[in-house]
Amino acid sequence: MEPLLGVTLGLILMVASSAQSCTCVTNKWTVCDQDASGNCTCRLVGSDHTVDCSTLTSKCLLMKAEMSVLKLSYRPRVKLLDGGIYDPDCEDSGIFKARQCDEAGTCWCVNTAGIRRTGKGDKNLICNELIRTNWVDIELKHKETSHYFEALDVAEALTRLFENRYKLRPKYIAAVKYDSPFIQIHLKQNNLKQRDVDIVDVAYYLEKDVTGDSVFHSDSTFLVSVNRKDLAIENIRIYYVDEKPPVFSMKQLLVDISAVVAVVILPAGFVIILVIVLCQRRKYRKIKIEKMSETEGQILEL
């Protein structure tokens, strides 16, 4: 987050806090009010949407709040920012609407992670359903350390972190692999229960934590501790995989760079699309094609 944006948000919340004694632990992008009975109600910055502070806020609403603060900072309205952040349209439930459009009338279909999965069209574009992102792969890299960590200890520490900080049930953590200094976390969630957090929201919160722009209230510090020794995470990549293949063509992928990085794997008989969020380097990269011996497919980096 740029300094101006941080200052603007701080002023907004400072003014709000002067007339309140309650806060939303899981979402700093809120303004909270306490009634005479002591009940605390928190609403998203820039809207009247009430936030449940006992769990994570949806990625769509978080992006909406961030763009609201940008407007208040007197910056020109931007639909798409570095890293794939844009001003989304959200359902009342907080999830992304299947069709997203910009001010110019250009529209596209997205998945539950808010990632574009079709070519672009006009407002006549029809998105029949919101395709679910049911698999999230997270790659982390920690800073150099003199300590030696067992893979099992790292896996247990991260499982506790996901359960306690992000409210994610352990059954959705399919695997944690560790090969110093790299960590791979595989999240799988075919069906979302009513009271369960979405793995997409978990990934977004983690991304914000690693990049130093935590969504949690300021008194909540991000820390990975393995056997009482800190593991400082310095880099993150997130791969989103949908339960259904995308519907844009390879030609559209090559000419359209609205996604930060698109990875298309072509194994025998079907297509999977993943979108990587690069948090260390927010610049578009030149197209690069490599052979993948294990999948017998191709990777395209935009």
Side-chain angles (χ1 to χ4, degrees), residues 146-165:
S146 59
H147 301 296
Y148 172 77
F149 298 101
E150 293 284 353
L152 181 59
D153 292 336
V154 172
E156 290 177 349
L158 286 168
T159 299
R160 289 194 300 270
L161 176 74
F162 275 72
E163 184 175 11
N164 297 331
R165 185 172 179 83

Side-chain angles (χ1 to χ4, degrees), residues 221-239:
T221 304
F222 173 67
L223 180 66
V224 179
S225 179
V226 181
N227 295 331
R228 299 182 180 179
K229 296 181 177 64
D230 294 347
L231 201 61
I233 307 299
E234 65 176 354
N235 196 7
I236 181 172
R237 290 187 179 187
I238 302 176
Y239 302 73

Side-chain angles (χ1 to χ4, degrees), residues 9 50 89 121 146 148 170 172 176 181 228-229 267:
L9 175 61
T50 302
D89 293 322
S146 59
Y148 172 77
Y172 297 128
V176 178
R228 299 182 180 179
K229 296 181 177 64

Side-chain angles (χ1 to χ4, degrees), residues 95-294:
I95 64 174
F96 289 92
K97 288 188 176 181
R99 191 187 72 170
Q100 299 289 324
C101 299
D102 61 22
E103 292 181 333
T106 301
C107 301
W108 60 93
C109 303
V110 301
N111 56 19
T112 54
I115 305 298
R116 185 171 64 86
R117 48 172 285 111
T118 69
K120 294 182 177 181
D122 57 24
K123 290 190 175 180
N124 292 320
L125 178 68
I126 297 177
C127 304
N128 293 317
E129 59 178 330
L130 182 67
I131 302 301
R132 177 159 181 75
T133 298
N134 63 342
W135 170 20
V136 176
D137 267 7
I138 302 170
E139 292 183 357
L140 302 173
K141 180 178 180 291
H142 65 74
K143 294 181 180 179
E144 292 186 9
T145 175
S146 59
H147 301 296
Y148 172 77
F149 298 101
E150 293 284 353
L152 181 59
D153 292 336
V154 172
E156 290 177 349
L158 286 168
T159 299
R160 289 194 300 270
L161 176 74
F162 275 72
E163 184 175 11
N164 297 331
R165 185 172 179 83
Y166 305 115
K167 318 300 181 184
L168 182 67
R169 297 174 67 180
K171 71 176 185 178
Y172 297 128
I173 304 176
V176 178
K177 300 178 181 180
Y178 177 58
D179 183 12
S180 181
F182 301 103
I183 305 169
Q184 289 184 323
I185 305 169
H186 306 280
L187 305 181
K188 185 74 173 179
Q189 191 178 53
N190 288 324
N191 297 306
L192 182 62
K193 304 288 186 179
Q194 184 176 2
R195 298 299 299 175
D196 288 346
V197 299
D198 196 320
I199 57 176
V200 164
D201 301 333
V202 171
Y204 195 66
Y205 267 77
L206 178 61
E207 175 196 344
K208 291 291 189 180
D209 274 339
V210 172
T211 56
D213 185 25
S214 179
V215 179
F216 289 96
H217 195 263
S218 58
D219 60 359
S220 181
T221 304
F222 173 67
L223 180 66
V224 179
S225 179
V226 181
N227 295 331
R228 299 182 180 179
K229 296 181 177 64
D230 294 347
L231 201 61
I233 307 299
E234 65 176 354
N235 196 7
I236 181 172
R237 290 187 179 187
I238 302 176
Y239 302 73
Y240 298 99
V241 184
D242 294 349
E243 60 186 5
K244 291 184 179 181
V247 293
F248 44 54
S249 66
M250 188 64 67
K251 180 179 179 180
Q252 289 171 322
L253 274 176
L254 291 172
V255 299
D256 194 334
I257 57 172
S258 64
V260 177
V261 178
V263 178
V264 179
I265 303 178
L266 304 173
F270 65 95
V271 178
I272 301 176
I273 180 169
L274 307 90
V275 175
I276 309 173
V277 178
L278 294 182
C279 297
Q280 284 297 98
R281 182 181 302 171
R282 296 197 180 263
K283 294 182 179 179
Y284 294 122
R285 304 177 66 180
K286 293 181 179 180
I287 296 174
K288 179 181 177 184
I289 301 178
E290 298 177 354
K291 299 268 186 182
M292 291 183 60
S293 58
E294 294 182 359

Side-chain angles (χ1 to χ4, degrees), residues 5-41:
L5 178 57
V7 170
T8 304
L9 175 61
L11 291 174
I12 292 172
L13 299 185
M14 186 182 300
V15 172
S17 64
S18 64
Q20 66 180 33
S21 59
C22 58
T23 57
C24 186
V25 176
T26 58
N27 190 345
K28 70 179 182 182
W29 302 89
T30 54
V31 176
C32 304
D33 296 301
Q34 192 172 32
D35 61 24
S37 301
N39 298 318
C40 185
T41 301

